[in-house]
C-alpha cells in the first residue's frame, strides 16, 4: 500500500478532506500534515510516505521554507520520496524562483482532478510515466474529447463520490463553494457545470445569476443539484431556469447516463 503525505495549510478545507478520502478509497494510506518544519520532518520519518504532495494555497515564505526543509531532510538521509506540487500558474512561477523545478517529480494545476494524481501514483515503480508523450495518438485524442464538468458543492462526501463515478467518462473538476467556482471559471472553460442549489454565502442561484451576467460564462450549461424533491424546492429550481436539474439521490449509473444523454442532445 502506497503512503501519501499531503502537506498544506488548509487543514479544515473540504477539498483537502475530500482528496484524502479519495486517496484512501483508491487503496492508499493518506494523511494530512501542516506546513511546519518539525511536523514535516517527523511525519516523513515516522510515516515513511512514498509520495509527498504539497498543496499551495497562495504563495508565502512558509512554502519556501517547506520546500527547503523537505529537500534537506530527504538528501541528508537519502530517503526516496516522490514530490508532487499542486498550485496555480502564478504560484508555480513564484515557487520556481526559490526552488528548482526539477525538485518535483510532477506538478498539477489547481483546481486539480484527483484522479490524475491517483493515476500517476499507481504508475510509481514502473518504467511508464503517464504523459501525453507516452499515450498513443488515439488515447490522447480520446482523453481530450472527454467533456469537462465542473462540480460545485460544499459537501465533501458528495464531491468525492460524484467525482469517483463521473471521472470514468468525463474530465471532472471540483470546487467547494460558489466563490471558488466563479474564480475557477475566470481562467478555465468547461462544457457543463453541476451546481449545488443550496450552498452558504453564494447559493447556487446566486452563482447562476453571476455566470449568466458574464459574456464568457453566459452560455455554459448549468444543471442544478438538489437534495430535496418537495414541490416548493423543485418549483424554485425550475423558476431559476437552469438547463436542467437532478436530485443528489440519483443513482450513479443513472446520473452518468443522464449526462451522456444531455450532451448527446446538444450535438
Amino acid at each position: 500500500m502506497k503512503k501519501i503525505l499531503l502537506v498544506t495549510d488548509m487543514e479544515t478545507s473540504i477539498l483537502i478532506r475530500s482528496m484524502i478520502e479519495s486517496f484512501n478509497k483508491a487503496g492508499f494510506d493518506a494523511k494530512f500534515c501542516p506546513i511546519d518544519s518539525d511536523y514535516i520532518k517527523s511525519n516523513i520519518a515516522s510515516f515513511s510516505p512514498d509520495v509527498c504532495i504539497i498543496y499551495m494555497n497562495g504563495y508565502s515564505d512558509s512554502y519556501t521554507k517547506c520546500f527547503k526543509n523537505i529537500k534537506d531532510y530527504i538528501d541528508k538521509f537519502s530517503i526516496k520520496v516522490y514530490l508532487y506540487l499542486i498550485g496555480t500558474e502564478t504560484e508555480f512561477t513564484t515557487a520556481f524562483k526559490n526552488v528548482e523545478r526539477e525538485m518535483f517529480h510532477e506538478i498539477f494545476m489547481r483546481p486539480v482532478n484527483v484522479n490524475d494524481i491517483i493515476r500517476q501514483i499507481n504508475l510509481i515503480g514502473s518504467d511508464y510515466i503517464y504523459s501525453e508523450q507516452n499515450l498513443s495518438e488515439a488515447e490522447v485524442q480520446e482523453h481530450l474529447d472527454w467533456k469537462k464538468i465542473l462540480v460545485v458543492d460544499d459537501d465533501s462526501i458528495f464531491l468525492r463520490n460524484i467525482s469517483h463515478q463521473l471521472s470514468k467518462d468525463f474530465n471532472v473538476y471540483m470546487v467547494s463553494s460558489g466563490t471558488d467556482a466563479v474564480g475557477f471559471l475566470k481562467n478555465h472553460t468547461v462544457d457543463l457545470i453541476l451546481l449545488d442549489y443550496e450552498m452558504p454565502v453564494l447559493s447556487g442561484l446566486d452563482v447562476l445569476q453571476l455566470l449568466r451576467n458574464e459574456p464568457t460564462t453566459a452560455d455554459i450549461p448549468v444543471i442544478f443539484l438538489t437534495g430535496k424533491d418537495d414541490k416548493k424546492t423543485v418549483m424554485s429550481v425550475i423558476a431559476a431556469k437552469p438547463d436542467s436539474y437532478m436530485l443528489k439521490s440519483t443513482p450513479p449509473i443513472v446520473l452518468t447516463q443522464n449526462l451522456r444523454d444531455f450532451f448527446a442532445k446538444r450535438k
Side-chain angles (χ1 to χ4, degrees):
M1 178 184 293
K2 293 186 176 72
K3 297 181 179 180
I4 302 171
L5 187 65
L6 183 55
V7 180
T8 182
D9 59 0
M10 301 168 59
E11 180 177 6
T12 60
S13 167
I14 293 175
L15 283 179
I16 295 302
R17 294 201 301 268
S18 178
M19 285 182 68
I20 290 177
E21 290 172 357
S22 294
F23 289 143
N24 289 331
K25 190 172 183 179
F28 306 133
D29 183 5
K31 65 179 294 186
F32 163 83
C33 177
I35 297 182
D36 177 276
S37 300
D38 293 334
Y39 276 108
I40 293 172
K41 292 177 182 179
S42 174
N43 275 280
I44 292 177
S46 61
F47 187 55
S48 300
D50 300 285
V51 180
C52 181
I53 302 174
I54 304 168
Y55 192 115
M56 294 189 292
N57 179 38
Y59 197 85
S60 66
D61 289 341
S62 61
Y63 288 104
T64 302
K65 295 176 182 177
C66 169
F67 300 149
K68 183 179 185 303
N69 286 321
I70 290 176
K71 185 177 187 305
D72 289 348
Y73 191 81
I74 290 175
D75 290 345
K76 180 179 180 180
F77 296 98
S78 300
I79 300 171
K80 180 61 175 178
V81 180
Y82 287 82
L83 298 179
Y84 292 178
L85 184 63
I86 299 174
T88 64
E89 186 173 348
T90 300
E91 290 165 350
F92 291 144
T93 300
T94 305
F96 298 147
K97 290 179 181 178
N98 297 284
V99 294
E100 295 182 356
R101 162 65 179 87
E102 290 71 22
M103 173 180 171
F104 302 97
H105 296 80
E106 297 292 337
I107 62 172
F108 298 89
M109 190 72 71
R110 177 163 61 83
V112 65
N113 185 335
V114 69
N115 287 287
D116 288 341
I117 302 177
I118 290 173
R119 187 182 296 111
Q120 187 64 61
I121 293 173
N122 278 327
L123 292 171
I124 290 177
S126 72
D127 294 328
Y128 184 90
I129 301 298
Y130 180 81
S131 68
E132 291 190 1
Q133 287 74 24
N134 288 331
L135 295 176
S136 69
E137 184 176 344
E139 288 174 322
V140 171
Q141 191 57 49
E142 179 184 6
H143 184 74
L144 292 175
D145 287 343
W146 281 7
K147 296 295 185 181
K148 297 178 181 179
I149 299 177
L150 174 64
V151 184
V152 188
D153 200 296
D154 62 328
D155 184 337
S156 63
I157 296 177
F158 180 78
L159 275 179
R160 179 197 66 195
N161 291 338
I162 195 171
S163 174
H164 178 74
Q165 175 62 32
L166 297 183
S167 292
K168 301 172 185 177
D169 297 273
F170 307 101
N171 284 316
V172 180
Y173 303 91
M174 303 180 295
V175 294
S176 59
S177 72
T179 302
D180 288 343
V182 173
F184 173 82
L185 292 167
K186 288 181 179 179
N187 301 303
H188 303 81
T189 59
V190 295
D191 300 294
L192 175 65
I193 302 170
L194 296 182
L195 180 60
D196 184 14
Y197 183 70
E198 296 139 333
M199 291 187 295
V201 187
L202 279 180
S203 69
L205 180 59
D206 293 332
V207 175
L208 179 62
Q209 292 173 339
L210 288 172
L211 298 180
R212 292 293 184 253
N213 289 330
E214 287 292 329
T216 55
T217 57
D219 295 327
I220 300 177
V222 174
I223 294 179
F224 270 141
L225 300 170
T226 177
K228 300 178 181 179
D229 59 357
D230 59 279
K231 183 177 180 180
K232 182 179 179 181
T233 299
V234 172
M235 294 303 293
S236 297
V237 168
I238 294 175
K241 298 183 178 179
D243 292 84
S244 186
Y245 78 92
M246 295 182 186
L247 295 176
K248 289 187 177 182
S249 58
T250 302
I253 295 178
V254 176
L255 174 62
T256 300
Q257 188 57 53
N258 286 345
L259 294 179
R260 288 175 181 163
D261 293 342
F262 178 84
F263 284 123
K265 292 176 182 177
R266 298 180 65 86
K267 287 184 177 180

